[in-house]
Amino acid sequence: MTFTESEKQKIREVAKLFAAQTEISVAKIEDGKPFFYGALNSGNAVKTIENHESLFEIGSITKVLTASLLAKFVTEEELEVDSAINPLFPFEFRNGQTITFQSLATHTSGLPRLPPNIAWRALFKRHGDPYEGCDYAALIDYLQNKMQLRKDRKISYSNLGVGLLGVALEKYANTPLNALFQEKIFSPFKMAQSSMVKDAAGKFVQGLDKKGNPCASWDLGYFAGAGAMLSSTSDLAKFVLANQEHQYPFLEYQRRPVINEKYESIALGWFILNEANKSNPLYFHNGGTAGFSSALLIDIEEKRAFIALSNISGLHKIKGQKVDQLVFQLMHRNNG
């Protein structure tokens, strides 16, 4: 089933709320078939465009793919999901603290969302790129000398944690993270446009800041595994279809709930929404960077999904209300 006129209108309504040159690319997956629709706010009107192969920064949806790598190593190699990452590093973590792979992929490591110095930069100093200087030396310094973990280890969303997971997987495989994605995820699923570097094949969409002006991308450094991916709705639809086909044990393993709550559970990289009136859960993640925002929502059992990629700034005050809600509205509209 292709996009209905009401679904197209809902997408156009979101594009209309933002600045000129805002574009949204949406994928709809129905019963194993992907459909695409794109909208561009030209300034005078919102028009339909073909942008399903255009490249957007997907922000924190990267975390799902980083956790997919972890799941692949656990199911196909000898990596234990609850083993510590500490032996991969040639130094002792501050105060002898231990961190496991699973805790990083489920936001239960006790690490903060961001190190204090980066949070301070984002708020007060380096608005353009708060991640400037986040190289491996800075990570070593943090882990050795500054790291503080929450004692309760409850769920606490952490960009730092998944960034560290990406570094740990690089060390485990002795391979750069982008090369791991290419070998383990992108090549098998024929995601030819996806990459962590901007020379990837395809048209790269210009990111817009929260005022609608063109902006540069953040250089995430050691946070790459948490948010540095470039992709298209065409490529992400292939990843969604792989999840729905039930043919890949590592994806099945990744979706198993690790922490169960009444209405929301967490798997490796996924937030699982257990809706009160539904027997089957929805798998969700969103993302935001300086110039882009994204959302991904999958119904595995009903074989439905919606992906929305945009150049709406993740720092825009209504980004979450509009981009995140769009995929939920489309999913529920589709369910009648």
Side-chain angles (χ1 to χ4, degrees), residues 60 62-63 66-67 85 89 104-105 107 109 111-115 131 134 136 139 143 157-171 177 181 196 220-228:
S60 287
T62 305
K63 293 179 172 69
T66 299
I85 68 167
F89 294 83
L104 294 173
H107 302 286
S109 65
L111 287 165
R113 187 184 189 98
L114 294 169
Y131 295 92
C134 291
Y136 184 59
L139 177 62
L143 294 173
Y157 190 83
S158 178
N159 289 311
L160 172 58
V162 186
L164 179 56
L165 174 61
V167 174
L169 292 174
E170 284 185 317
K171 288 184 166 296
L177 193 58
F181 281 121
M196 303 188 89
L220 294 180
Y222 67 78
F223 286 89

Side-chain angles (χ1 to χ4, degrees), residues 79-142:
L79 180 63
E80 297 289 337
V81 72
D82 57 356
S83 62
I85 68 167
N86 299 57
L88 296 172
F89 294 83
F91 54 83
E92 185 173 312
F93 289 5
R94 185 170 184 250
N95 297 329
Q97 297 172 109
T98 299
I99 298 174
T100 67
F101 285 95
Q102 180 170 276
S103 71
L104 294 173
T106 56
H107 302 286
T108 55
S109 65
L111 287 165
R113 187 184 189 98
L114 294 169
N117 65 318
I118 297 176
W120 182 85
R121 289 179 199 167
L123 287 172
F124 302 111
K125 193 174 181 181
R126 294 178 182 165
H127 299 286
D129 188 356
Y131 295 92
E132 183 181 350
C134 291
D135 56 15
Y136 184 59
L139 177 62
I140 292 174
D141 179 59
Y142 177 81

Side-chain angles (χ1 to χ4, degrees), residues 191-242:
M191 297 168 65
Q193 297 162 312
S194 299
S195 180
M196 303 188 89
V197 294
K198 285 194 175 178
D199 60 357
K203 173 198 170 189
F204 183 68
V205 175
Q206 173 62 59
L208 302 178
D209 66 19
K210 61 184 179 181
K211 295 182 180 179
N213 300 315
C215 67
S217 300
W218 288 333
D219 181 0
L220 294 180
Y222 67 78
F223 286 89
M229 191 71 67
L230 304 172
S231 194
S232 64
T233 49
S234 177
D235 267 11
L236 289 178
K238 295 172 184 176
F239 178 73
V240 168
L241 288 168

